[in-house]
Amino acid sequence: MTTNGDGAAKVIPVRHYGRWVASFVALVLLAMLVHTIFSKVPSATGQKVCQTVNGLRTCHPLMVWRFSWNVVGEFFTTKDVLHGLLITIELTVLAMTVGIVLGVILAVMRLSPNRLLSSMAWSYTWFFRGTPVYVQLFFWFVINAVYPTFSIGLPFVHAAFVQFSANSFFTPFVAAAVGLSLNEGAYMSEIARSGLIAVDEGQTEAAISLGMTHSQTLRLVVLPQAMRVIIPPTGNELISMLKTTSLVSAVGVLDLFQATNNISASNYEVIPLLIVASIWYLIVTTILSVGQFYLERRFARGALRTPPPTPIARLRSDLRGVLAKFRTPRVAKEARA
Amino acid sequence: MTTPMVEARGVRKSYAGVEVLKSVDLTVTRGEVTCLIGPSGSGKSTLLRCINHLEKHDSGELRVDGQLIGYEARDGKLYELNDKQICGERAQIGMVFQRFNLFQHLTALENITIGQVKVKGVDVEVAKAKARELLSRVGLENKEKHYPSQLSGGQQQRVAIARALAMEPKLMLFDEPTSALDPELVGEVLDVMKDLARSGMTMIVVTHEMNFAREVANTLYFLDGGVIEESGDPRVVLTSPKTERLRSFLSKVL
């Protein structure tokens, strides 16, 4: 039997040959993918580059990036693209903020013992989840066809204090924001409801028996604990919303996607500009995901005995592990000597 | 004679047609410990929950410290109180639950301060000082930063008792406080409760701990099928039961 210094039997881990082969194949495929994305090909226009050396003229085809990375770089930070990005972010933040507030209100209504309130909330969700968001966006854009003017006044008697035209109020941006918000409210209400239901009834009873009012119980005890359940799917919704905003080009809003579309419509560089838009969407999504991670950690307080390590902490402990591996034999050698 | 702390006269309660409490009479004298025993489904927890209006009783009179609970008597009718008025009444009655029900997102200390600060409007620093004092009273002075999930069942229940005491209640209700605990943790919670009883707190305890009832309770009520079958001095009631029902119940639990 092989033993190490102290006489205990040495552990030989199982060798996973299948895993090694699979890893190798995956690595080769990945290398091929990266190579083709970042490779140069002869220009599609058949352009040639010629040079004369010692009176001898040689020509070879002009090589260009397969994915026209130079065009991507050229348009990546142009004013139109950045302005579109700003509109996209504004719409996302606006629609999600209104959607979350609306969703929580709808969820509380839905759980209310009052049958009228709960069926109203149910109907809202039924309607806005049951029709395509694209159709809803369009509806708000053309609402002036059915309601040319809006007024604030007494109901049913046509006495108005303030009046304004639908056309001037529902600009493309407002129509887009309203459409996305109302639609998001329906989805968020289901998410918020699942969070509220997930909190144990005993928590409510304990809060009430301390003398808290129903609204205090909701704000101080139930919602903070519901957040743990609500945040992951809300992060999902947020990222989904970022990309759903690309539909607003239908009502003439110049968002990121519409901005890149406009450019490619004039210079025919369709794929590079799709890449410009995609990279920006990826960058924002990445930032949002990092934010979600830390938010989840914060609201997991008390739910887990030990919170999960941050990626940085995990990297540090991995590094320490690797270093320890190198260091141990030396210590062992010294000990033996 | 002073008014009793709790007085129930003909309290009835039914759920979906099933009568859980059938005209219950009960009197709890100030500064005394009252234990409610009985088989599960006998209505003892429901009675306890009616006392702080977590459940609404259907009819009968239920008074705490001379005041009707949950209702106001005017012109021979009972008017239900609004949320805020009921909250004011509840804040004076402490409740300890079988499943502890500590707020999972707050530390032990925050669990004890939140009621003082948000319900009674006590200054945060004053509330913290009181919370620390109560934690040391239940023997958990070094656990203030722990979340409930990091505490044992017995420790959680002791924090829950401290949370209820922080409101300076005139009456404490315990709903099977040791039933969800591992056997070796029951003692620490009972010790805190005995200590509380010695300090003169009026307590109503729903329990299966017959030794605790015998040792600490001034009065014992035996409920079965929503009716109080027997009551009196626990030493007498437990040693010489008059009814067949209590005799058969005791033979199962003792």
Side-chain angles (χ1 to χ4, degrees):
Chain A
M1 203 192 331
T2 318
T3 60
N4 64 11
D6 355 302
K10 200 179 159 200
V11 173
I12 313 289
V14 178
R15 305 270 195 262
H16 297 279
Y17 298 106
R19 254 184 239 173
W20 294 350
V21 173
S23 307
F24 179 73
V25 172
L27 211 62
V28 170
L29 287 175
L30 182 69
M32 283 167 69
L33 183 69
V34 171
H35 177 253
T36 173
I37 289 175
F38 294 100
S39 61
K40 284 191 163 181
V41 289
S43 161
T45 54
Q47 238 177 306
K48 288 195 185 326
V49 192
C50 298
Q51 55 184 155
T52 315
V53 183
N54 300 335
L56 197 68
R57 191 176 146 84
T58 53
C59 285
H60 50 84
L62 176 70
M63 298 298 278
V64 293
W65 291 106
R66 187 193 291 275
F67 279 88
S68 310
W69 291 109
N70 51 320
V71 184
V72 172
E74 190 185 327
F75 287 97
F76 194 65
T77 53
T78 54
K79 206 173 139 235
D80 287 351
V81 169
L82 291 182
H83 188 256
L85 177 67
L86 189 69
I87 297 281
T88 291
I89 292 174
E90 276 175 9
L91 271 176
T92 306
V93 170
L94 208 63
M96 280 310 289
T97 312
V98 177
I100 288 170
V101 173
L102 200 61
V104 171
I105 294 172
L106 284 166
V108 172
M109 277 171 70
R110 180 79 191 277
L111 296 171
S112 158
N114 185 318
R115 292 276 278 283
L116 180 70
L117 289 180
S118 87
S119 48
M120 274 170 72
W122 182 88
S123 312
Y124 181 97
T125 310
W126 168 78
F127 183 80
F128 282 94
R129 273 200 322 190
T131 51
V133 63
Y134 196 80
V135 172
Q136 290 170 30
L137 282 171
F138 222 85
F139 174 81
W140 293 109
F141 186 56
V142 296
I143 189 147
N144 62 338
V146 268
Y147 291 107
T149 54
F150 282 90
S151 50
I152 300 168
L154 300 174
F156 307 119
V157 292
H158 299 286
F161 306 133
V162 192
Q163 200 164 29
F164 48 91
S165 83
N167 249 343
S168 63
F169 181 71
F170 278 97
T171 61
F173 184 84
V174 172
V178 168
L180 291 174
S181 299
L182 295 185
N183 185 261
E184 189 54 34
Y187 286 92
M188 279 309 302
S189 80
E190 286 296 285
I191 292 173
R193 190 168 69 94
S194 71
L196 294 177
I197 294 173
V199 179
D200 183 47
E201 210 187 343
Q203 297 287 310
T204 310
E205 286 187 354
I208 284 176
S209 72
L210 279 181
M212 287 191 194
T213 61
H214 285 292
S215 88
Q216 278 179 322
T217 303
L218 185 68
R219 272 186 298 116
L220 302 171
V221 176
V222 179
L223 268 181
Q225 296 186 61
M227 289 305 274
R228 200 171 73 79
V229 179
I230 292 174
I231 286 174
T234 304
N236 219 12
E237 284 295 307
L238 180 59
I239 286 166
S240 164
M241 174 59 78
L242 177 75
K243 293 167 299 171
T244 305
T245 55
S246 63
L247 293 180
V248 302
S249 52
V251 294
V253 177
L254 272 176
D255 73 316
L256 174 59
F257 187 54
Q258 186 59 28
T260 56
N261 272 349
N262 282 353
I263 298 170
S264 59
S266 61
N267 69 2
Y268 304 111
E269 297 278 8
V270 178
I271 288 184
L273 280 143
L274 287 179
I275 292 175
V276 168
S278 300
I279 293 176
W280 274 119
Y281 282 121
L282 276 172
I283 289 174
V284 179
T285 304
T286 308
I287 295 170
L288 292 177
S289 306
V290 172
Q292 182 186 345
F293 176 84
Y294 282 97
L295 211 60
E296 269 177 37
R297 237 176 92 84
R298 179 172 157 74
F299 279 100
R301 275 178 322 169
L304 306 165
R305 281 169 203 220
T306 44
T310 62
I312 296 168
R314 203 177 317 161
L315 198 70
R316 206 178 290 154
S317 88
D318 283 354
L319 217 69
R320 215 175 291 138
V322 172
L323 287 178
K325 227 178 216 172
F326 284 113
R327 233 174 263 152
T328 330
R330 193 167 14 126
V331 177
K333 251 180 257 161
E334 279 163 15
R336 237 173 286 158
Chain B
M1 192 186 137
T2 58
T3 49
M5 183 55 86
V6 179
E7 196 167 22
R9 289 287 162 263
V11 170
R12 290 172 184 274
K13 167 81 188 168
S14 33
Y15 292 108
V18 180
E19 203 161 39
V20 190
L21 293 176
K22 298 170 185 163
S23 189
V24 170
D25 292 345
L26 168 127
T27 308
V28 176
T29 313
R30 240 164 254 274
E32 292 202 336
V33 176
T34 303
C35 281
L36 306 180
I37 61 167
S40 66
S42 60
K44 51 195 193 315
S45 283
T46 306
L47 178 59
L48 198 72
R49 292 160 61 88
C50 282
I51 293 173
N52 73 348
H53 210 58
L54 272 182
E55 307 279 357
K56 295 175 192 168
H57 52 285
D58 301 332
S59 64
E61 241 183 63
L62 189 49
R63 291 176 186 275
V64 173
D65 205 8
Q67 274 200 312
L68 280 176
I69 279 295
Y71 301 93
E72 191 182 12
R74 258 187 287 134
D75 328 318
K77 284 184 188 135
L78 291 182
Y79 291 89
E80 196 175 351
L81 297 180
N82 66 29
D83 194 28
K84 216 169 190 123
Q85 290 165 313
I86 294 174
C87 288
E89 289 185 334
R90 281 205 194 101
Q92 301 174 31
I93 304 171
M95 176 110 180
V96 174
F97 299 87
Q98 182 178 354
R99 308 266 340 145
F100 331 131
N101 296 355
L102 286 181
F103 304 132
Q104 299 294 317
H105 63 305
L106 301 178
T107 61
L109 192 82
E110 290 165 342
N111 262 283
I112 305 174
T113 56
I114 189 168
Q116 301 181 65
V117 175
K118 300 293 179 182
V119 177
K120 294 179 79 183
V122 175
D123 177 75
V124 177
E125 287 309 314
V126 177
K128 274 187 188 166
K130 184 169 184 79
R132 292 202 176 96
E133 182 196 313
L134 282 165
L135 275 176
S136 81
R137 182 167 165 191
V138 298
L140 294 170
E141 47 277 90
N142 52 353
K143 300 285 185 195
E144 61 173 71
K145 289 203 173 69
H146 287 61
Y147 285 98
S149 61
Q150 298 165 322
L151 298 172
S152 74
Q155 291 169 334
Q156 288 191 55
Q157 195 60 299
R158 285 187 278 157
V159 174
I161 294 172
R163 174 176 70 176
L165 289 176
M167 302 300 286
E168 298 180 331
K170 51 190 178 190
L171 168 69
M172 283 283 284
L173 309 174
F174 294 84
D175 189 2
E176 301 197 25
T178 57
S179 299
L181 295 176
D182 291 341
E184 81 268 24
L185 303 176
V186 170
E188 61 188 64
V189 173
L190 291 182
D191 285 344
V192 169
M193 289 169 63
K194 283 176 196 165
D195 184 54
L196 195 58
R198 272 194 292 273
S199 75
M201 174 65 74
T202 313
M203 295 160 60
I204 305 179
V205 186
V206 171
T207 188
H208 291 296
E209 294 291 328
M210 294 304 150
N211 288 328
F212 174 82
R214 197 192 317 260
E215 201 182 318
V216 184
N218 301 92
T219 316
L220 183 87
Y221 285 86
F222 169 65
L223 273 89
D224 192 19
V227 177
I228 291 177
E229 292 280 336
E230 268 188 62
S231 62
D233 187 317
R235 277 148 294 234
V236 178
V237 175
L238 289 176
T239 42
S240 49
K242 279 182 247 149
T243 61
E244 184 49 43
R245 287 187 170 179
L246 179 54
R247 220 167 297 151
S248 90
F249 173 71
L250 290 178
S251 71
K252 282 174 205 148
V253 295
L254 287 179

